[in-house]
């Protein structure tokens, strides 16, 4: 019951934020981030009609997805991905949000080709240039996009970022704006295998600001499933 009402509240907040900024709320998808939460809680969200889920750890995700059904949801990989796990990410996930090097893209492409899949990916940008975070640097992203778009078994669907945590979500706004700007820059290149459809940005504390700045995918964990 709690999970269902949390999802409803967040969807209402998304609608309000979209309205404030003159956006169409149907262009925003709420991804329920279920990392370190048991499959029963994911099932509860599914039973409430929720479709999109985000997972961070390959091993944990495979166990949950095997149990709940590969086809019973849209699965988003949002954790740091090592090349040696690319095979599993391709097998289990509809969208991989965290591609930040050409090397990783190349391995995902190789694994996707093996199973005849076109893998949808997002390029992750280290938007605040934090030493502790993954993601390509802002000034590298166009170069990465130009190389990644050459891979036949990948489709680049947009960009993802994770700004620093701020007590006041307003402080994250400049980073969301920046991601949107970079997305526009990539779009003007008209690269093959690339459509800048998605901006994956915004978490429990700042998703309304992200929606105001153009997010199409918001990744919310704590506000749905409780603290980890
Ligand atoms: C855990 C996680 C989230 C969800 O964070 P909350 O603050 O719990 O909403 C979103 N995105 C990424 C990449 C995460 O690792």
């Amino acid at each position: 019951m709690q999970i269902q009402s949390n999802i409803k509240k967040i969807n209402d907040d998304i609608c309000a934020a979209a309205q404030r900024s003159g956006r169409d709320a149907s262009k925003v998808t709420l991804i329920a981030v279920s990392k370190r939460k048991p499959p029963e809680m994911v099932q509860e969200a599914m039973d409430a009609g929720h479709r999109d889920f985000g997972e961070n750890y390959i091993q944990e995700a495979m166990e949950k997805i095997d149990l709940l059904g590969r086809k019973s949801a849209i699965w988003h990989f949002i954790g740091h991905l090592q090349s040696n796990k690319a095979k599993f990410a391709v097998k289990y996930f509809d969208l991989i949000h965290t591609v930040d090097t050409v090397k990783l893209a190349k391995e995902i492409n190789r694994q996707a080709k093996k199973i005849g899949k076109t893998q949808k990916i997002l390029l992750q940008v280290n938007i605040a240039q934090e030493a502790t975070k993954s993601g390509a640097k802002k000034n590298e992203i166009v170069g990465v996009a130009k190389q990644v778009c050459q891979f036949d078994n990948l489709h680049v669907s947009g960009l993802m970022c994770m700004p620093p945590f701020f007590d006041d979500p307003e402080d994250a706004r400049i980073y969301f704006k920046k991601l949107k700007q970079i997305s526009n820059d990539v779009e003007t290149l008209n690269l093959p295998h690339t459509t800048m459809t998605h901006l994956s940005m915004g978490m429990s504390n700042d998703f309304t600001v992200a929606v105001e700045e153009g997010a199409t995918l918001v990744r919310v964990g704590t506000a749905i499933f409780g603290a980890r």
Side-chain angles (χ1 to χ4, degrees), residues 31-38 41 54-57 60 64 78 162 165 203-205 219-228:
I31 299 173
V33 175
S34 43
K35 63 170 175 240
R36 293 195 231 125
K37 293 295 176 184
M41 292 180 88
E55 287 282 345
N56 288 61
Y57 310 105
E60 176 191 330
K64 267 186 238 177
I78 64 169
M162 191 157 73
F165 177 89
M203 302 172 32
S204 289
N205 64 316
R219 313 177 308 264
V220 177
T222 310
I224 295 175
F225 297 114
R228 291 179 294 271

Side-chain angles (χ1 to χ4, degrees), residues 14 26 62 78 113 131 137 161 177 187 189 206 222 225:
I14 288 171
S26 73
M62 290 196 296
I78 64 169
K113 188 175 185 139
K137 295 196 181 100
C161 77
K177 276 191 198 294
E187 192 161 36
L189 302 173
D206 58 14
T222 310
F225 297 114

Side-chain angles (χ1 to χ4, degrees), residues 7-160:
I7 289 173
K8 178 167 185 328
K9 161 104 176 53
I10 293 161
N11 276 323
D12 289 347
D13 291 349
I14 288 171
C15 278
Q19 232 157 37
R20 277 198 297 279
S21 53
R23 297 189 58 213
D24 177 356
S26 73
K27 298 277 156 58
V28 186
T29 298
L30 171 61
I31 299 173
V33 175
S34 43
K35 63 170 175 240
R36 293 195 231 125
K37 293 295 176 184
E40 293 75 22
M41 292 180 88
V42 181
Q43 186 65 59
E44 192 177 331
M46 284 178 175
D47 292 344
H50 196 73
R51 280 285 287 163
D52 289 76
F53 295 90
E55 287 282 345
N56 288 61
Y57 310 105
I58 290 287
Q59 186 61 42
E60 176 191 330
M62 290 196 296
E63 288 167 22
K64 267 186 238 177
I65 296 171
D66 280 337
L67 200 70
L68 297 164
R70 171 69 184 85
K71 296 288 173 196
S72 22
I74 299 168
W75 300 102
H76 299 260
F77 189 76
I78 64 169
H80 179 64
L81 184 59
Q82 289 168 310
S83 290
N84 64 356
K85 304 269 176 68
K87 177 184 177 177
F88 303 111
V90 167
K91 181 174 178 207
Y92 281 86
F93 288 91
D94 297 289
L95 181 63
I96 301 172
H97 291 226
T98 49
V99 178
D100 59 353
T101 62
V102 177
K103 173 177 176 268
L104 175 60
K106 187 174 181 184
E107 179 59 14
I108 295 171
N109 181 65
R110 194 174 77 88
Q111 297 295 343
K113 188 175 185 139
K114 274 203 219 167
I115 61 168
K117 180 180 184 185
T118 300
Q119 178 67 54
K120 287 189 197 164
I121 64 166
L122 304 179
L123 301 179
Q124 182 179 1
V125 184
N126 188 349
I127 201 73
Q129 321 271 37
E130 293 173 276
T132 54
K133 283 210 181 121
S134 311
K137 295 196 181 100
K138 283 185 289 189
N139 59 349
E140 291 172 352
I141 204 78
V142 164
V144 171
K146 281 180 175 170
Q147 288 182 271
V148 168
C149 73
Q150 307 296 328
F151 297 122
D152 286 334
N153 287 77
L154 297 185
H155 187 88
V156 179
S157 302
L159 303 178
M160 178 269 206

Side-chain angles (χ1 to χ4, degrees), residues 168-182:
D168 181 357
E170 278 299 328
D171 294 340
R173 190 181 292 277
I174 52 163
Y175 297 108
F176 298 141
K177 276 191 198 294
K178 188 77 203 167
L179 195 72
K180 172 80 182 173
Q181 235 171 55
I182 298 170

